Amino acid sequence: MADKLIIPSTLYAGNGSIEESIMEIVKKEDVRKVLVFTDKGIIGAGLINLLLNPLKKNQIEYKIFDDLRPEPAYTDVENTRRQVEESEGDLLIAFGGGSVMDAAKLCSILKGSDYSVKDLLENPALGKKQMKVIAIPTTCGTGSEATCNAIVAVPEEEVKKGIVNNAMIPDYVILDSAVIRKLPKHIVAATGVDALAHVVECYTSKKATPLSNIYALAGAKLIFKNIREAYSNPENMDAKDAMMLGAFYGGVAITGSGTTAVHALSYPLGGKYHIAHGVSNAIIFGHVMRMNKEACAEQLAELCDAINPSLSTSDTEAKTEYVIREIEDIIRFTEIPTDLYSFGVKREDLNFLVDAGSKQTRLLVNNRKELTIDDIRSIYLKVL
């Protein structure tokens, strides 16, 4: 069976690339009015002007949707969908983090359709592209600008779930590090470690392919090398350019491979306790990789060769240990919490976590080690 990888058709990258590319796209698509998805924090920081100024200059009409809450429930997206349907527009622009991009991607297959977000949760294949999308990430890590995935919370089950449909892959992507020049350090940390999880999980996934591995390795080289500098030196735009590109590569790898148990076991943490996605991944990342270590030793050793070719050992065990220690050190360096105590998660919540985590079969089937209930319990116990 042939390997397959579906990626955005056009990518612009580099500091200042929004101003250079946005009107090229608008003219190509013969756009009269754009629908802009963003959030109030981005507007308050003035970042949205990087997008709005060229639109205003060229007299392109726009409407802004900025009331979607972070890590939205499927009902929130359905409300936004109704607002979009009441607005005339030729093109969706997602200018934000993962939640903004996921909502825009969902609305791009929902607008004017006879199915709902809840229907897509049951049967993602229902979705058909209704509008083209430009994705402009304002963090350095979610990878949503490249993926066919959208994550929504399901409050009645206290978990998050993914909707996967190739029609949601954005048509255009603009990676402009100008938007993350002043990104708060804690967001650089959380989104950067999320991107790190993407490349490591995709490379060690049972569904990894030669095509997805090309992107996962390229992303790993960029992220392992630059995440500490992007976090500690906000003015280093080369490091931030590298992080944005590495995150994009991780997103591309997801479309061909898929993430594994790190993301699977983090979903209940976001769904019930509203822990930011990147933070919940970081908390369990090292523990999952240690649990997986023997099952994916070959892949971890290959990652080691890619990120540190000068390491003077041919021992697979030493190489796998090097990669896992690097992951653990990056999480410490970026000052992300390493347990659930500060988020109010208690020991008596363990059974819920184990039950909810074990149900994330869409991602757990990608894990090279088949995790038992006891394995899952052991991972959560280490962070309680």
Side-chain angles (χ1 to χ4, degrees), residues 42-68:
I42 290 169
I43 292 174
L47 291 175
I48 194 69
N49 293 326
L50 293 170
L51 170 64
L52 298 187
N53 286 343
L55 293 178
K56 292 174 183 175
K57 182 179 177 181
N58 291 275
Q59 298 181 315
I60 301 298
E61 190 179 354
Y62 61 86
K63 180 174 175 59
I64 293 176
F65 299 86
D66 66 352
D67 59 354
L68 194 75

Side-chain angles (χ1 to χ4, degrees), residues 72 96-105 137-139 142-144 149-151 191:
S99 297
V100 166
M101 288 189 285
D102 284 2
K105 286 156 56 177
T138 59
T139 69
T142 72
S144 179
N149 303 3
I151 310 301
T191 59

Side-chain angles (χ1 to χ4, degrees), residues 301 313-320:
T313 181
S314 59
D315 180 60
T316 296
E317 166 66 22
K319 290 179 179 180
T320 60

Side-chain angles (χ1 to χ4, degrees), residues 210-323:
L211 290 176
S212 69
N213 280 346
I214 289 170
Y215 285 92
L217 274 183
K221 291 176 185 178
L222 290 169
I223 296 167
F224 274 102
K225 180 180 179 180
N226 289 283
I227 187 169
R228 294 179 182 88
E229 181 65 14
Y231 174 77
S232 59
N233 184 0
E235 294 303 315
N236 188 329
M237 299 309 293
D238 289 339
K240 289 186 170 178
D241 275 328
M243 286 299 297
M244 292 195 90
L245 190 57
F248 174 78
Y249 287 160
V252 173
I254 288 173
T255 67
S257 170
T259 52
T260 61
V262 177
H263 273 66
L265 301 187
S266 79
Y267 282 164
L269 301 177
K272 180 166 184 169
Y273 307 101
H274 308 294
I275 302 172
H277 175 66
V279 174
S280 59
N281 281 333
I283 288 170
I284 61 172
F285 192 178
H287 300 294
V288 172
M289 296 317 300
R290 289 203 172 277
M291 180 68 73
N292 284 345
K293 184 176 175 180
E294 289 184 9
C296 56
E298 179 185 343
Q299 291 74 27
L300 288 172
E302 289 168 359
L303 274 172
C304 179
D305 290 339
I307 65 175
N308 189 0
S310 62
L311 191 68
S312 56
T313 181
S314 59
D315 180 60
T316 296
E317 166 66 22
K319 290 179 179 180
T320 60
E321 185 62 23
Y322 174 84
V323 173

Side-chain angles (χ1 to χ4, degrees), residues 64-141:
I64 293 176
F65 299 86
D66 66 352
D67 59 354
L68 194 75
R69 64 179 178 172
E71 317 226 357
Y74 70 90
T75 49
D76 298 323
V77 177
E78 195 63 50
N79 289 336
T80 302
R81 172 252 186 98
R82 284 192 282 270
Q83 295 174 41
V84 167
E85 290 182 332
E86 292 168 1
S87 305
E88 294 296 324
D90 309 303
L91 181 73
L92 282 170
I93 301 180
F95 189 91
S99 297
V100 166
M101 288 189 285
D102 284 2
K105 286 156 56 177
L106 281 167
C107 286
S108 77
I109 65 172
L110 285 163
K111 187 176 187 290
S113 72
D114 58 1
Y115 46 81
S116 66
V117 185
K118 194 164 189 180
D119 292 331
L120 292 173
L121 283 165
E122 298 297 324
N123 182 10
L126 290 171
K128 302 290 186 290
K129 183 161 303 254
Q130 312 291 335
M131 293 185 76
K132 288 190 175 181
V133 176
I134 303 174
I136 308 174
T138 59
T139 69
C140 51

